[in-house]
Amino acid sequence: MAVGTESIWLRRYGTLKPPRLRLLCLPHAGGSAGFFHSWGRAFGSDVEVMAARYPGRQERIADPFITEMEPLADAIAGELRSFLDAPLALFGHSMGASLAYEITLRLQDQHGVAPAALLVSGRKPPHLLTPRPDLDDDEVLAEVRRLGGTDAVVLDDPDLRELVLPAITTDFRIVARYAARPGVPLPCPVYAYVGDGDEDVDVESMRGWADLAPQGFGLRVLPGDHFYLAEQRNALIDDIRARLAPVR
């Protein structure tokens, strides 16, 4: 039972009663659990939101980084064993979408669990990924500023930049090393989200997730760029809530 269970890997927004559903949110490269703070109570009193705490930032600032996608997925999937007493859905944005996919595979293969849904945002499916260069620090800074989002604002402060840059560069290298691979059909419905002005991921690429979704697929295009989910928070949450409403 997960009631009262503490986890260094997961920031939990608990429910008063045992939840109908848990929703695990996986941040983008350089992001943290705090990115999803406003989601914590957004899905109703019977949905427990959990946000992944990647090592090397916020509460885990002193913990060593994990520098590859696969061991990061191994660690989080293993941690989720204590939280499978209710249906589990996963939402991941950008790097977090690839991570959510890898965790879904591990939940199925290692724990015999099919998530209620995989929700992916702003990231191509594994079989459509294109190579990315391994960037130096200055190039990472330029890329974060190009993409926008809250991280770009933080980087304008030299003291904060020094604090967060190691996490950002580590995550960008995780993304660069996560090469294209054959996609594996998933044991759950897949719902994809993308901003109509995303310069990195177009609508057709997001539609490619349908190739891995024999249990059902849906696509929602919202106004905005790569970080559309900041300005379109309410519309995105409403759509996710509606898709998860039937889960019991």
Side-chain angles (χ1 to χ4, degrees):
M1 272 310 266
V3 175
T5 301
E6 296 298 326
S7 170
I8 192 62
W9 280 96
L10 304 171
R11 180 180 294 178
R12 299 177 62 193
Y13 298 87
T15 55
L16 294 177
K17 297 179 180 180
R20 168 182 65 86
L21 170 75
R22 290 191 172 92
L23 174 63
L24 173 63
C25 300
L26 297 142
H28 56 279
S32 66
F35 184 82
F36 292 103
H37 179 72
S38 70
W39 291 37
R41 311 293 179 191
F43 295 93
S45 60
D46 59 350
V47 176
E48 178 179 346
V49 174
M50 305 188 299
R53 292 166 162 165
Y54 302 153
R57 63 211 81 189
Q58 291 191 327
E59 302 95 332
R60 304 192 64 187
I61 191 69
D63 293 350
F65 292 114
I66 294 178
T67 59
E68 302 282 348
M69 187 79 74
E70 288 80 1
L72 186 57
D74 288 338
I76 297 175
E79 191 73 6
L80 288 171
R81 288 178 297 179
S82 298
F83 299 90
L84 298 177
D85 56 316
L88 175 71
L90 296 92
F91 174 90
H93 178 62
S94 199
M95 181 187 88
S98 292
L99 183 56
Y101 164 78
E102 291 290 338
I103 292 170
T104 298
L105 297 182
R106 284 155 176 76
L107 289 174
Q108 179 185 29
D109 295 344
Q110 300 174 13
H111 306 299
V113 172
L118 172 64
L119 305 113
V120 290
S121 169
R123 178 77 164 151
K124 296 177 182 179
H127 57 295
L128 297 181
L129 292 175
T130 50
R132 292 195 176 191
D134 205 348
L135 306 177
D136 63 30
D137 287 359
D138 289 339
E139 291 170 326
V140 168
L141 288 171
E143 183 69 1
V144 172
R145 289 193 171 97
R146 182 184 71 83
L147 291 171
T150 55
D151 303 302
V153 177
V154 169
L155 295 176
D156 291 334
D157 183 311
D159 292 332
L160 291 176
R161 182 170 62 242
E162 183 178 356
L163 185 65
V164 303
L165 184 58
I168 295 173
T169 55
T170 295
D171 289 353
F172 268 71
R173 285 164 189 154
I174 288 176
V175 171
R177 294 166 185 165
Y178 185 72
R181 75 269 326 270
V184 177
L186 296 165
C188 60
V190 178
Y191 304 114
Y193 300 90
V194 66
D196 62 4
D198 192 325
E199 296 181 0
D200 282 13
V201 186
D202 60 24
V203 173
E204 285 307 308
S205 295
M206 290 304 294
R207 191 170 280 119
W209 282 98
D211 299 339
L212 312 183
Q215 302 302 316
F217 176 75
L219 172 66
R220 179 75 186 272
V221 182
L222 291 165
D225 57 17
H226 190 65
F227 282 97
Y228 74 93
L229 65 175
E231 291 187 359
Q232 299 298 324
R233 172 194 175 276
N234 292 342
L236 176 59
I237 285 175
D238 286 347
D239 194 274
I240 294 172
R241 186 190 296 113
R243 296 193 188 276
L244 298 181
V247 178
R248 292 288 186 272

